[in-house]
Amino acid sequence: KSGYAREEGQDFAIGYTAPYAPYVEWGTSRMRPRSYLRTAWIMTKGNMSGIVKRVIARYIEEAKG
């Protein structure tokens, strides 16, 4: 529930605000990792160039007015 995705200037940020989020993502000595961000990155990195191209195209269109 603490996950967020937001624009930050010309970049964007994705993360969690919960203080325990790193423990869930990476695990501990007593808990296996339940990664969400790393899994999402692995699933989308093959499409990343297409995503970046679409974002750039959107910004260019917005700049044209």
Side-chain angles (χ1 to χ4, degrees):
K1 292 182 180 182
S2 72
Y4 64 87
R6 65 175 177 250
E7 287 189 47
E8 293 187 348
Q10 295 181 357
D11 296 319
F12 66 94
I14 300 171
Y16 296 97
T17 59
Y20 57 83
Y23 305 114
V24 175
E25 182 75 24
W26 296 98
T28 68
S29 62
R30 297 180 180 173
M31 182 182 81
R32 67 175 183 80
R34 289 177 273 175
S35 65
Y36 177 76
L37 289 179
R38 288 182 296 147
T39 303
W41 173 254
I42 290 167
M43 292 173 65
T44 60
K45 72 179 180 179
N47 298 324
M48 199 52 62
S49 64
I51 293 169
V52 170
K53 287 177 185 177
R54 285 193 299 276
V55 169
I56 291 171
R58 186 181 78 207
Y59 278 105
I60 289 171
E61 289 301 315
E62 289 175 4
K64 288 180 181 177

